[in-house]
Amino acid sequence: MIKISNKLKLYLYAALTLTAVAVILCAICYAAVFDADPGYFDESSPLTYALVAFCILSVLAFFSSIFTLPKNALDGASPTTFTVNIASIPAAVCSALLGGFMVSAYFLISTQNIFGKIFPDYTANNAILLLVGGIFLLFSAAYYVFLWFDHGDRSEIAALIGFSVPVAALLLIVLTYFDMHSPMNCPAKLSFQLSMLSFMLFSLYELRIHLQKPRPRIYFMFAMTTMLTTGISSFPVILAYCTGKIESLSYMLYAVFALCVFIYVTSRVCVFVSARELLEKISDQTPTDEPEEETEK
């Protein structure tokens, strides 16, 4: 067996470190160079360029894992352990609450209630997106719940339900795209869209594992990328909202959802790495049958 667990752990520790640095740098940008009136970071500030450059370089570092990890050395094992089940609880609860809220908004939204204040662009136009997005978020919650009862014997059912996850992520991108009350390149909007894009790709490759058609190197790469993007679209945005830098409640809800995704994906990638390490330890401890040498008398 090819020993690659140390290389996987190196990438994992690097991803955790780079994500932490990006989150801190993004929070500093919100505190120091964010102009709430136009809704942008100060484009003339070195901090803005430093954040963008750091994130791009980090993603390129994650992308390098496709070439540095040996092909066919990983079996794609990403077991749904108790740790993953615990980490899926926030994702399930947040998906159910946000989905239920969006479905309710479709039927009750008006300019006079809380739904209209959170989704002002959908009081008259495109309200069907709230309904469809909410329904797929509810199915996504069902997928996370199903993981508790799936022991590998119902993988096809898990994959069928799980297809709602990337669809829900795509619909959230569409919802924020048509939110004209926030600038198109607002950092809160753009970072959330990027996080949902990477999460959508990650979840597609997670579903391949259920279908026994894994692509482990790409899965690992998108997991690290999703950690970074959900990190910068959750922690800094929640902090900015709490300090009054951002007033949009909808992006506060999206940031909480991104935080739940961050917890889930981080647990997934940690289990992915630890499973490989355990497999290599078992392989080392398994005695190999060697032909007995005949001794001459």
Side-chain angles (χ1 to χ4, degrees):
M1 175 178 287
I2 301 176
K3 304 296 179 62
I4 59 172
S5 61
N6 288 334
K7 187 175 291 186
L8 290 174
K9 287 193 291 184
L10 180 62
Y11 270 105
L12 174 59
Y13 298 151
L16 291 170
T17 302
L18 292 173
T19 298
V21 173
V23 166
I24 294 172
L25 186 58
C26 187
I28 293 173
C29 287
Y30 275 111
V33 298
F34 181 73
D35 191 342
D37 190 21
Y40 295 111
F41 289 142
D42 184 358
E43 294 183 356
S44 63
S45 172
L47 280 173
T48 304
Y49 290 102
L51 174 62
V52 174
F54 184 84
C55 291
I56 292 175
L57 292 175
S58 297
V59 172
L60 290 176
F62 301 154
F63 185 74
S64 70
S65 63
I66 297 178
F67 305 100
T68 58
L69 295 175
K71 188 177 182 180
N72 299 324
L74 289 167
D75 60 3
S78 182
T80 303
T81 63
F82 182 72
T83 300
V84 173
N85 284 335
I86 293 297
S88 69
I89 293 176
V93 173
C94 191
S95 296
L97 291 177
L98 183 58
F101 189 84
M102 289 167 60
V103 170
S104 301
Y106 171 76
F107 294 102
L108 302 174
I109 192 168
S110 74
T111 57
Q112 306 300 321
N113 60 26
I114 185 64
F115 302 111
K117 292 178 181 178
I118 295 178
F119 306 112
D121 276 318
Y122 297 95
T123 54
N125 301 314
N126 301 318
I128 189 66
L129 287 174
L130 292 173
L131 177 63
V132 178
I135 290 173
F136 276 97
L137 280 171
L138 292 174
F139 277 110
S140 298
Y143 167 73
Y144 296 121
V145 172
F146 187 82
L147 291 178
W148 279 81
F149 307 99
D150 177 33
H151 303 290
D153 54 342
R154 291 172 287 186
S155 295
E156 292 183 357
I157 299 176
L160 180 62
I161 302 173
F163 271 110
S164 60
V165 177
V167 175
L170 177 61
L171 288 170
L172 286 173
I173 295 174
V174 175
L175 279 166
T176 54
Y177 178 83
F178 285 106
D179 176 17
M180 300 305 173
H181 276 66
S182 297
M184 186 59 65
N185 294 325
C186 170
K189 174 188 287 190
L190 190 59
S191 63
F192 180 73
Q193 290 174 336
L194 291 174
S195 69
M196 289 300 99
L197 176 61
S198 58
F199 178 55
M200 178 181 68
L201 295 171
F202 163 81
S203 58
L204 285 172
Y205 281 94
E206 180 177 295
L207 295 177
R208 291 183 67 97
I209 297 175
H210 291 298
L211 296 173
Q212 308 301 318
K213 296 181 179 180
R215 292 292 185 270
R217 293 187 300 172
I218 301 178
Y219 170 82
F220 185 56
M221 184 270 290
F222 279 130
M224 294 186 291
T225 303
T226 304
M227 285 170 54
L228 176 74
T229 54
T230 54
I232 61 176
S233 66
S234 58
F235 296 102
V237 176
I238 294 173
L239 183 61
Y241 180 83
C242 293
T243 56
K245 290 287 185 176
I246 295 177
E247 297 181 354
S248 174
L249 183 56
S250 60
Y251 284 96
M252 175 63 178
L253 297 177
Y254 296 146
V256 172
F257 180 79
L259 176 60
C260 295
V261 171
F262 172 83
I263 294 171
Y264 175 75
V265 174
T266 301
S267 71
R268 271 293 187 190
V269 71
C270 288
V271 168
F272 178 83
V273 174
S274 61
R276 178 66 188 201
E277 183 180 22
L278 179 61
L279 188 63
E280 290 181 3
K281 288 181 179 179
I282 293 174
S283 177
D284 289 339
Q285 295 173 0
T286 302
T288 57
D289 295 331
E290 296 182 356
E292 295 182 359
E293 296 182 0
E294 296 183 359
T295 59
E296 293 184 0
K297 294 185 179 179

